[in-house]
Amino acid sequence: MAAVKLAYDIEGAGPWLTLLHGFSQSRQVWSAQRPMFARRYRLLLVDLRGHGESEAPEGGYGPVEYATDLLALLDSLDIRATHLWGTHTGASIGLYLAALHPDRVASLVLDGAVIPGVRIDAVERQMQRAKEIAARDGLVAARTMWFEEGEFFAGIRRYPERRRAGEHRQIIAGFSGTPWLATDPPLPVPDVAGRLSSIRQPTLLINGADDLPEFLDTAARLERELPHSRRYLIPGAGAFPLWEEPEAVNPVVTQFLNEIT
């Protein structure tokens, strides 16, 4: 499988820290983290395939494809190992790499973690609805529904000024939507869930205390099964604590990275 060309930014100096966004987002989702972490780390901010300014092939939108693209980018930049901070889809890519390419990942910060290959019903329901609307009514309608009705964006919508709802909606407006229209299924996902106990990287699990129950259950499972994990709940935050409450999240991640580096 050929990797696609990914858009990315590099800034800062120090150990590599790769930042991976969630589905329908882009590297712009890290706007509240970039200034602080670029002072201590060399940041690699990536748009996944079909997102932001990256190429959008007609098919191939799954953990294997996303991880293959990222590995090709790391190779092209001669990055042998990196700390990795991912949210939702980005977190699943981090787990995939830690399980199958452990030498490439120094540590993991997982915000609203998803285990590759493990279904989360709330996400699947919303994804199926978006696909139906995209096919019937077009991508603008699908993007609108995705943000205005998606359960995982409820915390952002609840406090629109404080949590920059307009800015987040603009990020989603830039989403290509191609994954919703793809007819080819993604490649089969190896059994990452069965390899969790083999992941040796230090791992920080972050969730909003008001996150969806399925995401909280996923984090609890990871806390039990990952040998070197710790978990932190952000009071008042929902599914995207790094966006909703960066003033609470950034110091926690800073302390974690300081301790392991």
Side-chain angles (χ1 to χ4, degrees):
M1 179 188 64
V4 306
K5 185 177 180 180
L6 300 180
Y8 63 91
D9 294 328
I10 293 175
E11 60 186 77
W16 283 104
L17 173 59
T18 298
L19 304 179
L20 299 179
H21 61 79
F23 186 87
S24 79
Q25 299 172 329
S26 74
R27 65 192 191 274
Q28 304 307 320
V29 81
W30 302 98
S31 59
Q33 283 73 42
R34 294 173 78 151
M36 179 175 184
F37 287 91
R39 294 197 291 266
R40 294 287 301 276
Y41 298 92
R42 195 173 189 193
L43 302 182
L44 173 63
L45 302 105
V46 181
D47 284 345
L48 302 178
R49 62 165 57 195
H51 294 74
E53 298 174 322
S54 288
E55 292 181 347
E58 293 184 359
Y61 290 94
V64 177
E65 291 88 346
Y66 289 134
T68 298
D69 295 341
L70 180 60
L71 286 171
L73 177 60
L74 295 178
D75 287 344
S76 72
L77 297 172
D78 197 26
I79 301 174
R80 304 314 308 163
T82 177
H83 302 284
L84 192 149
W85 185 355
T87 179
H88 291 251
T89 299
S92 76
I93 299 168
L95 282 170
Y96 181 98
L97 292 180
L100 296 168
H101 301 274
D103 57 318
R104 308 305 296 270
V105 181
S107 72
L108 291 169
V109 178
L110 306 179
D111 177 284
V114 178
I115 302 172
V118 176
R119 177 187 174 96
I120 293 183
D121 288 339
V123 175
E124 293 300 323
R125 288 193 302 269
Q126 199 72 12
M127 189 74 76
Q128 184 58 39
R129 184 142 185 262
K131 289 179 179 180
E132 293 170 358
I133 291 174
R136 185 186 66 235
D137 303 323
L139 288 171
V140 172
R143 294 187 198 102
T144 298
M145 182 282 300
W146 183 255
F147 181 73
E148 291 187 352
E149 300 180 23
E151 297 176 72
F152 18 83
F153 299 116
I156 298 174
R157 296 194 306 265
R158 189 176 300 120
Y159 304 104
E161 294 299 325
R162 176 179 168 189
R163 293 179 174 172
R164 301 169 288 152
E167 183 180 345
H168 205 102
R169 185 167 183 165
Q170 283 300 113
I171 291 173
I172 294 173
F175 173 47
S176 73
T178 306
W180 288 330
L181 300 175
T183 56
D184 294 337
L187 292 173
V189 181
D191 184 19
V192 174
R195 304 186 192 198
L196 293 176
S197 63
S198 71
I199 294 177
R200 300 296 170 182
Q201 291 86 347
T203 302
L204 175 63
L205 303 162
I206 300 176
N207 290 88
D210 298 333
D211 202 350
L212 301 183
E214 290 166 294
F215 285 101
L216 295 174
D217 290 344
T218 298
R221 175 181 178 179
L222 290 170
E223 185 181 24
R224 290 192 305 270
E225 297 191 31
L226 294 174
H228 305 292
S229 67
R230 66 185 77 171
R231 187 178 175 203
Y232 198 88
L233 290 177
I234 305 298
F240 293 100
L242 69 85
W243 179 274
E244 297 170 21
E245 299 291 341
E247 297 85 359
V249 169
N250 291 354
V252 173
V253 177
T254 297
Q255 180 178 348
F256 169 74
L257 292 173
N258 286 344
E259 290 175 1
I260 65 171
T261 57

